[in-house]
Amino acid sequence: MTVPSRSAAPPELLVRYGTEAPAGAVLLLHGGRADGLEAPPLLNLPALRMRPFAGALRRAVRGRAVLVAEARYRHRGWNGERADAARDAEAALAGLRARFGETPVVLVGHSMGGRAALAVAGDPAVLGVVALAPWCPPGEPVAHLAGRRLHLLHDETDRVTAARDSWAFVRRAREAGADATGVPMPAGGHAMLRDARLWHRRATELALETLASSPA
């Protein structure tokens, strides 16, 4: 049974596909910008960029008890110490828990959404993160990632976020006890447009492999 999306979901959560009793969930977190207190526009390109990933996941899990959902941000930017995208990711996880119970979750985030995913991955429900061209500033916390599976995908020609920062984050996360892997992508830049299907396929494979690692 497909879950009604917008009308039944809490404000922070948009369910794209699933059942009322999922065995697992994939939560998508889109990108944004460093600063911006305004709400995302109606035509929100970072959110639209995640739709093909949602579609690839829906096709891969059809007929299985796996939920696919997207977080909706209240602000366009990260906004320094406010870390608004991370707070909205936390709210989306809380929405999943309130509606579906203690369901294991894999986070798939792009750019700022990758940073948010990594920031909230210490939540007990989160098995791991697939971060796409993530924003990984030096010094980001990693201690909370012990025991989590992390896959950071990055094209080294990306001019918006730096792949070297992703690889440095992977090294630090491993030292903190995470099962962390850096995945160099052959093309795509930051927007993941070139070889887009490779990005969709690889993200879907890694998300579902991580979800399958749940002991439940």
Side-chain angles (χ1 to χ4, degrees):
M1 179 180 66
T2 300
V3 177
S5 57
R6 190 172 293 273
S7 61
E12 304 85 4
L13 190 68
L14 180 63
V15 174
R16 289 294 179 189
Y17 174 82
T19 70
E20 290 291 354
V26 180
L27 177 62
L28 299 162
L29 301 168
H30 65 74
R33 54 179 59 179
D35 299 294
L37 292 172
E38 70 277 13
L42 186 61
L43 182 59
N44 186 11
L45 294 180
L48 290 174
R49 191 169 288 127
M50 297 304 289
R51 294 291 175 84
F53 291 93
L57 283 160
R58 286 199 309 269
R59 290 189 294 273
V61 304
R62 194 165 301 281
R64 299 164 57 183
V66 175
L67 189 79
V68 179
E70 299 175 20
R72 293 184 290 172
Y73 303 150
R74 286 166 284 194
H75 304 279
R76 201 171 186 180
W78 182 269
N79 300 318
E81 293 183 359
R82 288 172 54 111
D84 284 315
R87 302 291 76 79
D88 287 344
E90 288 178 337
L93 285 169
L96 281 173
R97 185 176 290 110
R99 186 171 173 191
F100 301 103
E102 296 296 334
T103 302
V105 180
V106 175
L107 304 174
V108 177
H110 172 238
S111 192
M112 182 181 76
R115 184 181 185 183
L118 294 166
V120 304
D123 184 288
V126 175
L127 299 174
V129 172
V130 179
L132 312 169
W135 178 20
C136 294
E140 287 287 276
V142 294
H144 63 292
L145 298 171
R148 302 302 191 271
R149 291 193 176 190
L150 312 176
H151 301 281
L152 279 65
L153 284 61
H154 223 131
D155 173 9
E156 294 189 341
T157 68
D158 188 339
R159 296 183 179 181
V160 177
T161 58
R164 64 178 178 275
D165 290 340
S166 289
W167 312 150
F169 187 94
V170 166
R171 290 192 295 271
R172 294 174 56 239
R174 285 176 181 165
E175 292 170 357
D179 179 3
T181 304
V183 183
M185 298 297 286
H190 190 69
M192 309 174 296
L193 295 178
R194 186 178 175 190
D195 284 354
R197 290 184 180 179
L198 177 61
W199 285 84
H200 305 157
R201 183 173 67 251
R202 196 71 184 113
T204 296
E205 291 170 349
L206 292 171
L208 296 184
E209 285 173 9
T210 302
L211 198 59
S213 70
S214 172

